[in-house]
Amino acid sequence: MKETYIGLLRHAPTGWNNAKRIQGQFDIPLLHESYDVINDWLPVIKQYPWSRIVTSDLSRAYLTALALNQHLDIPIEIDSRLREQDWGIWTGDSIQRLREVVPGEVARQEAAGWDFTPPRGESRTEVLTRTLQALHEATQQWAGENILVVTHQGNIMTIANHLMDKKFLPEEGKLVEKHALHRLIADNQYTEAPHYSFIAMNEAL
């Protein structure tokens, strides 16, 4: 069976990114200047023979995918399972302010690793499960293709921590950069689910 390649790409910046506000699943559009950022990414993105884009349905990811596809001109698929982590009542706030007003809860959540769950939100484990489901279906449906996945930092972080067998704790350090391309290869020999391994992480855009 032909090998399937996956590129994981975080969406271009939004106003909330610049203000360091937690977006979660709140649907924030791209900044006008973000399209210049996307154009700057093209020399790296176009090095690889992408045959399809699969994107989160949130505007910041979908608009990033559309902007890239003006130059790639390939099929686009939308998958809501690629949405960012649901941050519950912390959506719209900032980590800095939360550390000031609820420091104990922030510390408790960070120490929980994979069980990190913002109040009324979802856990990192839940994010990993649905993200892997989306990748599994994509790699099986389009086996042998080169699939560019436009998603969110939370999703990419769960994939990286999972594949590198990390506990997702602060002391393990940051594994993935925000503005970078992360390339995987999927081994489809397994009947239950593909096996993934990194070809390259944090490839500068």
Side-chain angles (χ1 to χ4, degrees):
M1 183 176 291
K2 291 183 178 180
E3 295 171 325
T4 304
Y5 293 90
I6 297 170
L8 298 176
L9 181 69
R10 177 184 181 257
H11 60 82
T14 71
W16 277 29
N17 287 140
N18 290 350
K20 299 188 184 305
R21 295 179 68 183
I22 299 166
Q23 293 178 108
Q25 296 187 0
F26 197 69
D27 204 7
I28 305 295
L30 295 180
L31 295 165
H32 179 73
E33 54 265 34
S34 291
Y35 293 96
D36 292 330
V37 173
I38 294 169
N39 286 335
D40 290 341
W41 294 350
L42 287 170
V44 173
I45 298 296
K46 292 176 73 174
Q47 288 182 55
Y48 304 104
W50 308 113
S51 53
R52 185 176 306 274
I53 298 174
V54 181
T55 178
S56 159
D57 62 339
L58 293 178
S59 296
R60 56 192 185 270
Y62 181 59
L63 292 173
T64 298
L66 288 179
L68 288 169
N69 208 36
Q70 290 183 6
H71 305 271
L72 300 177
D73 193 24
I74 53 179
I76 292 184
E77 313 290 338
I78 300 173
D79 195 324
S80 62
R81 292 172 296 185
L82 294 171
R83 284 185 172 197
E84 177 63 278
Q85 181 176 7
D86 183 351
W87 279 70
I89 64 173
W90 285 357
T91 301
D93 216 320
S94 71
I95 291 295
Q96 180 179 351
R97 199 192 80 88
L98 289 169
R99 291 191 195 282
E100 295 171 356
V101 298
V102 286
E105 178 62 16
V106 173
R108 186 182 74 81
Q109 290 292 350
E110 290 180 335
W114 282 100
D115 292 325
F116 178 103
T117 309
R120 301 183 194 171
E122 63 178 334
S123 71
R124 288 166 169 167
T125 300
E126 291 172 310
V127 178
L128 175 67
T129 297
R130 58 177 171 80
T131 303
L132 282 176
Q133 287 173 347
L135 294 185
H136 292 345
E137 289 186 19
T139 55
Q140 290 171 341
Q141 184 172 357
W142 301 297
E145 293 196 18
N146 290 266
I147 304 168
L148 181 60
V149 176
V150 183
T151 183
H152 306 267
Q153 186 74 354
N155 306 72
I156 298 172
M157 288 172 59
T158 62
I159 293 293
N161 277 271
H162 169 65
L163 295 184
M164 299 182 74
D165 198 25
K166 298 291 186 178
K167 295 180 180 179
F168 222 139
L169 296 172
E171 56 265 30
E172 292 174 323
K174 183 173 65 172
L175 297 181
V176 295
E177 300 294 335
K178 290 182 178 179
H179 302 299
L181 177 66
H182 315 279
R183 293 185 293 119
L184 303 170
I185 186 169
D187 186 342
N188 290 313
Q189 296 182 64
Y190 297 84
T191 55
E192 293 185 2
H195 174 76
Y196 304 95
S197 56
F198 278 107
I199 302 171
M201 290 182 64
N202 298 319
E203 187 170 346
L205 293 168

Short mmCIF file of all heavy atoms in Angstrom, two decimals, residues 67-102:
data_model
loop_
_atom_site.label_atom_id
_atom_site.label_comp_id
_atom_site.label_asym_id
_atom_site.label_seq_id
_atom_site.Cartn_x
_atom_site.Cartn_y
_atom_site.Cartn_z
N ALA A 67 -7.15 30.45 1.50
CA ALA A 67 -6.09 31.33 1.00
C ALA A 67 -4.94 30.51 0.42
O ALA A 67 -4.40 30.85 -0.65
CB ALA A 67 -5.59 32.23 2.12
N LEU A 68 -4.56 29.44 1.08
CA LEU A 68 -3.51 28.57 0.55
C LEU A 68 -3.94 27.94 -0.77
O LEU A 68 -3.14 27.79 -1.70
CB LEU A 68 -3.17 27.48 1.57
CG LEU A 68 -2.41 27.91 2.82
CD1 LEU A 68 -2.39 26.77 3.83
CD2 LEU A 68 -0.98 28.31 2.46
N ASN A 69 -5.22 27.60 -0.83
CA ASN A 69 -5.68 26.88 -2.01
C ASN A 69 -5.82 27.76 -3.25
O ASN A 69 -5.99 27.25 -4.36
CB ASN A 69 -7.00 26.17 -1.72
CG ASN A 69 -7.17 24.93 -2.58
OD1 ASN A 69 -6.20 24.23 -2.87
ND2 ASN A 69 -8.39 24.66 -3.00
N GLN A 70 -5.73 29.05 -3.08
CA GLN A 70 -5.66 29.91 -4.25
C GLN A 70 -4.40 29.62 -5.05
O GLN A 70 -4.33 29.89 -6.26
CB GLN A 70 -5.68 31.38 -3.83
CG GLN A 70 -7.02 31.84 -3.29
CD GLN A 70 -7.02 33.32 -2.95
OE1 GLN A 70 -6.05 34.04 -3.22
NE2 GLN A 70 -8.11 33.79 -2.37
N HIS A 71 -3.39 29.05 -4.38
CA HIS A 71 -2.12 28.73 -5.02
C HIS A 71 -1.94 27.23 -5.25
O HIS A 71 -1.20 26.83 -6.14
CB HIS A 71 -0.97 29.26 -4.16
CG HIS A 71 -1.08 30.72 -3.87
ND1 HIS A 71 -0.54 31.69 -4.70
CD2 HIS A 71 -1.68 31.38 -2.85
CE1 HIS A 71 -0.81 32.88 -4.20
NE2 HIS A 71 -1.49 32.72 -3.07
N LEU A 72 -2.63 26.39 -4.44
CA LEU A 72 -2.47 24.95 -4.57
C LEU A 72 -3.52 24.33 -5.51
O LEU A 72 -3.23 23.37 -6.20
CB LEU A 72 -2.57 24.28 -3.18
CG LEU A 72 -1.51 24.74 -2.16
CD1 LEU A 72 -1.78 24.04 -0.81
CD2 LEU A 72 -0.10 24.43 -2.65
N ASP A 73 -4.74 24.87 -5.47
CA ASP A 73 -5.82 24.43 -6.35
C ASP A 73 -6.05 22.92 -6.26
O ASP A 73 -5.95 22.18 -7.24
CB ASP A 73 -5.54 24.83 -7.80
CG ASP A 73 -6.78 24.68 -8.69
OD1 ASP A 73 -7.90 24.70 -8.15
OD2 ASP A 73 -6.62 24.53 -9.91
N ILE A 74 -6.36 22.46 -5.05
CA ILE A 74 -6.62 21.04 -4.80
C ILE A 74 -7.94 20.91 -4.03
O ILE A 74 -8.45 21.90 -3.50
CB ILE A 74 -5.46 20.40 -4.00
CG1 ILE A 74 -5.17 21.19 -2.73
CG2 ILE A 74 -4.21 20.28 -4.89
CD1 ILE A 74 -4.05 20.63 -1.87
N PRO A 75 -8.51 19.72 -3.94
CA PRO A 75 -9.77 19.56 -3.19
C PRO A 75 -9.61 19.92 -1.71
O PRO A 75 -8.56 19.69 -1.11
CB PRO A 75 -10.08 18.06 -3.35
CG PRO A 75 -9.35 17.63 -4.57
CD PRO A 75 -8.10 18.46 -4.61
N ILE A 76 -10.67 20.50 -1.15
CA ILE A 76 -10.71 20.84 0.27
C ILE A 76 -11.85 20.06 0.93
O ILE A 76 -12.97 20.03 0.42
CB ILE A 76 -10.93 22.34 0.50
CG1 ILE A 76 -9.72 23.16 0.05
CG2 ILE A 76 -11.18 22.63 1.98
CD1 ILE A 76 -9.85 24.64 0.33
N GLU A 77 -11.54 19.45 2.07
CA GLU A 77 -12.53 18.76 2.88
C GLU A 77 -12.59 19.45 4.24
O GLU A 77 -11.56 19.89 4.77
CB GLU A 77 -12.14 17.29 3.09
CG GLU A 77 -11.73 16.56 1.83
CD GLU A 77 -12.88 16.30 0.88
OE1 GLU A 77 -14.05 16.30 1.35
OE2 GLU A 77 -12.63 16.10 -0.32
N ILE A 78 -13.79 19.55 4.82
CA ILE A 78 -13.99 20.18 6.13
C ILE A 78 -14.33 19.11 7.15
O ILE A 78 -15.18 18.25 6.89
CB ILE A 78 -15.11 21.23 6.07
CG1 ILE A 78 -14.76 22.34 5.07
CG2 ILE A 78 -15.37 21.83 7.45
CD1 ILE A 78 -15.90 23.32 4.83
N ASP A 79 -13.67 19.16 8.30
CA ASP A 79 -13.93 18.17 9.34
C ASP A 79 -13.97 18.89 10.70
O ASP A 79 -12.95 19.40 11.17
CB ASP A 79 -12.83 17.10 9.35
CG ASP A 79 -13.22 15.87 10.16
OD1 ASP A 79 -13.90 16.04 11.19
OD2 ASP A 79 -12.83 14.75 9.77
N SER A 80 -15.14 18.92 11.31
CA SER A 80 -15.30 19.64 12.58
C SER A 80 -14.53 18.99 13.72
O SER A 80 -14.31 19.62 14.77
CB SER A 80 -16.79 19.73 12.94
OG SER A 80 -17.33 18.43 13.13
N ARG A 81 -14.09 17.74 13.55
CA ARG A 81 -13.30 17.08 14.60
C ARG A 81 -11.92 17.70 14.74
O ARG A 81 -11.21 17.45 15.71
CB ARG A 81 -13.20 15.59 14.32
CG ARG A 81 -14.53 14.85 14.45
CD ARG A 81 -14.44 13.43 13.98
NE ARG A 81 -14.12 13.36 12.54
CZ ARG A 81 -14.08 12.22 11.86
NH1 ARG A 81 -14.30 11.07 12.47
NH2 ARG A 81 -13.80 12.23 10.57
N LEU A 82 -11.54 18.52 13.78
CA LEU A 82 -10.25 19.20 13.83
C LEU A 82 -10.32 20.56 14.53
O LEU A 82 -9.37 21.33 14.50
CB LEU A 82 -9.70 19.38 12.41
CG LEU A 82 -9.34 18.07 11.68
CD1 LEU A 82 -9.03 18.35 10.22
CD2 LEU A 82 -8.17 17.38 12.36
N ARG A 83 -11.46 20.85 15.17
CA ARG A 83 -11.60 22.09 15.92
C ARG A 83 -10.64 22.14 17.10
O ARG A 83 -10.22 21.11 17.63
CB ARG A 83 -13.02 22.22 16.48
CG ARG A 83 -14.07 22.61 15.47
CD ARG A 83 -15.39 22.83 16.16
NE ARG A 83 -16.38 23.38 15.24
CZ ARG A 83 -17.50 23.97 15.63
NH1 ARG A 83 -17.77 24.06 16.93
NH2 ARG A 83 -18.34 24.46 14.74
N GLU A 84 -10.36 23.37 17.54
CA GLU A 84 -9.54 23.58 18.73
C GLU A 84 -10.23 23.00 19.96
O GLU A 84 -11.45 22.74 19.95
CB GLU A 84 -9.31 25.10 18.91
CG GLU A 84 -8.53 25.51 20.13
CD GLU A 84 -7.10 24.98 20.16
OE1 GLU A 84 -6.95 23.81 20.57
OE2 GLU A 84 -6.17 25.73 19.80
N GLN A 85 -9.47 22.80 21.03
CA GLN A 85 -10.02 22.34 22.30
C GLN A 85 -11.09 23.31 22.78
O GLN A 85 -10.96 24.52 22.66
CB GLN A 85 -8.90 22.25 23.35
CG GLN A 85 -9.36 21.76 24.71
CD GLN A 85 -8.20 21.60 25.68
OE1 GLN A 85 -7.07 21.98 25.37
NE2 GLN A 85 -8.46 21.02 26.84
N ASP A 86 -12.16 22.77 23.34
CA ASP A 86 -13.20 23.60 23.95
C ASP A 86 -12.69 24.03 25.33
O ASP A 86 -12.49 23.20 26.22
CB ASP A 86 -14.49 22.78 24.08
CG ASP A 86 -15.64 23.60 24.64
OD1 ASP A 86 -15.41 24.74 25.10
OD2 ASP A 86 -16.78 23.08 24.64
N TRP A 87 -12.50 25.34 25.49
CA TRP A 87 -11.96 25.87 26.74
C TRP A 87 -13.05 26.31 27.71
O TRP A 87 -12.78 26.98 28.70
CB TRP A 87 -11.00 27.02 26.45
CG TRP A 87 -9.64 26.54 26.06
CD1 TRP A 87 -9.28 25.90 24.91
CD2 TRP A 87 -8.45 26.63 26.85
NE1 TRP A 87 -7.94 25.59 24.92
CE2 TRP A 87 -7.41 26.03 26.09
CE3 TRP A 87 -8.15 27.17 28.09
CZ2 TRP A 87 -6.09 25.96 26.57
CZ3 TRP A 87 -6.85 27.10 28.56
CH2 TRP A 87 -5.84 26.49 27.80
N GLY A 88 -14.30 25.96 27.43
CA GLY A 88 -15.38 26.23 28.38
C GLY A 88 -15.46 27.68 28.80
O GLY A 88 -15.38 28.59 27.97
N ILE A 89 -15.59 27.90 30.12
CA ILE A 89 -15.79 29.27 30.61
C ILE A 89 -14.51 30.10 30.58
O ILE A 89 -14.55 31.31 30.81
CB ILE A 89 -16.37 29.28 32.04
CG1 ILE A 89 -15.41 28.64 33.04
CG2 ILE A 89 -17.73 28.58 32.07
CD1 ILE A 89 -15.86 28.79 34.48
N TRP A 90 -13.39 29.46 30.25
CA TRP A 90 -12.14 30.22 30.12
C TRP A 90 -11.99 30.83 28.73
O TRP A 90 -11.06 31.62 28.50
CB TRP A 90 -10.95 29.31 30.43
CG TRP A 90 -10.76 29.04 31.89
CD1 TRP A 90 -11.51 29.54 32.93
CD2 TRP A 90 -9.77 28.20 32.49
NE1 TRP A 90 -11.06 29.07 34.12
CE2 TRP A 90 -9.98 28.24 33.90
CE3 TRP A 90 -8.74 27.41 31.99
CZ2 TRP A 90 -9.19 27.52 34.79
CZ3 TRP A 90 -7.95 26.70 32.88
CH2 TRP A 90 -8.17 26.76 34.27
N THR A 91 -12.87 30.50 27.82
CA THR A 91 -12.82 31.08 26.48
C THR A 91 -12.96 32.60 26.55
O THR A 91 -13.84 33.12 27.24
CB THR A 91 -13.95 30.50 25.60
OG1 THR A 91 -13.82 29.08 25.54
CG2 THR A 91 -13.92 31.08 24.19
N GLY A 92 -12.09 33.30 25.85
CA GLY A 92 -12.12 34.76 25.84
C GLY A 92 -11.22 35.39 26.88
O GLY A 92 -10.93 36.59 26.82
N ASP A 93 -10.80 34.60 27.86
CA ASP A 93 -9.92 35.10 28.90
C ASP A 93 -8.47 34.96 28.45
O ASP A 93 -8.20 34.62 27.29
CB ASP A 93 -10.16 34.32 30.20
CG ASP A 93 -10.04 35.18 31.45
OD1 ASP A 93 -9.14 36.04 31.48
OD2 ASP A 93 -10.85 35.00 32.37
N SER A 94 -7.53 35.20 29.32
CA SER A 94 -6.11 34.99 29.02
C SER A 94 -5.49 34.16 30.12
O SER A 94 -5.92 34.22 31.28
CB SER A 94 -5.36 36.32 28.87
OG SER A 94 -5.21 36.94 30.14
N ILE A 95 -4.48 33.38 29.77
CA ILE A 95 -3.80 32.57 30.78
C ILE A 95 -3.18 33.47 31.85
O ILE A 95 -3.22 33.16 33.04
CB ILE A 95 -2.73 31.67 30.13
CG1 ILE A 95 -3.40 30.59 29.27
CG2 ILE A 95 -1.86 31.03 31.20
CD1 ILE A 95 -4.23 29.59 30.06
N GLN A 96 -2.64 34.60 31.42
CA GLN A 96 -2.02 35.52 32.38
C GLN A 96 -3.02 35.98 33.43
O GLN A 96 -2.73 35.98 34.64
CB GLN A 96 -1.42 36.73 31.66
CG GLN A 96 -0.76 37.73 32.60
CD GLN A 96 -0.16 38.91 31.85
OE1 GLN A 96 -0.09 38.92 30.62
NE2 GLN A 96 0.28 39.91 32.59
N ARG A 97 -4.22 36.38 32.99
CA ARG A 97 -5.23 36.85 33.96
C ARG A 97 -5.72 35.70 34.83
O ARG A 97 -5.94 35.86 36.04
CB ARG A 97 -6.40 37.50 33.23
CG ARG A 97 -7.26 38.39 34.14
CD ARG A 97 -8.55 38.78 33.48
NE ARG A 97 -9.53 37.72 33.58
CZ ARG A 97 -10.37 37.56 34.61
NH1 ARG A 97 -10.33 38.39 35.65
NH2 ARG A 97 -11.25 36.58 34.63
N LEU A 98 -5.89 34.52 34.23
CA LEU A 98 -6.35 33.36 35.00
C LEU A 98 -5.35 32.99 36.09
O LEU A 98 -5.73 32.59 37.18
CB LEU A 98 -6.59 32.17 34.07
CG LEU A 98 -7.81 32.30 33.14
CD1 LEU A 98 -7.80 31.19 32.09
CD2 LEU A 98 -9.11 32.25 33.94
N ARG A 99 -4.06 33.14 35.78
CA ARG A 99 -3.04 32.86 36.81
C ARG A 99 -3.15 33.83 37.98
O ARG A 99 -2.74 33.51 39.10
CB ARG A 99 -1.64 32.94 36.20
CG ARG A 99 -1.31 31.84 35.22
CD ARG A 99 0.17 31.86 34.87
NE ARG A 99 0.47 31.06 33.70
CZ ARG A 99 0.55 29.73 33.68
NH1 ARG A 99 0.32 29.05 34.79
NH2 ARG A 99 0.82 29.09 32.56
N GLU A 100 -3.70 35.01 37.72
CA GLU A 100 -3.85 36.00 38.78
C GLU A 100 -5.12 35.77 39.60
O GLU A 100 -5.11 35.93 40.83
CB GLU A 100 -3.89 37.41 38.17
CG GLU A 100 -2.59 37.82 37.50
CD GLU A 100 -2.72 39.12 36.71
OE1 GLU A 100 -3.85 39.65 36.63
OE2 GLU A 100 -1.71 39.60 36.17
N VAL A 101 -6.22 35.39 38.93
CA VAL A 101 -7.51 35.30 39.63
C VAL A 101 -7.83 33.90 40.14
O VAL A 101 -8.52 33.75 41.16
CB VAL A 101 -8.66 35.84 38.74
CG1 VAL A 101 -8.45 37.31 38.41
CG2 VAL A 101 -8.82 35.02 37.47
N VAL A 102 -7.36 32.87 39.44
CA VAL A 102 -7.59 31.49 39.89
C VAL A 102 -6.29 30.68 39.78
O VAL A 102 -6.23 29.66 39.10
CB VAL A 102 -8.73 30.80 39.10
CG1 VAL A 102 -10.08 31.33 39.53
CG2 VAL A 102 -8.54 30.97 37.60
#
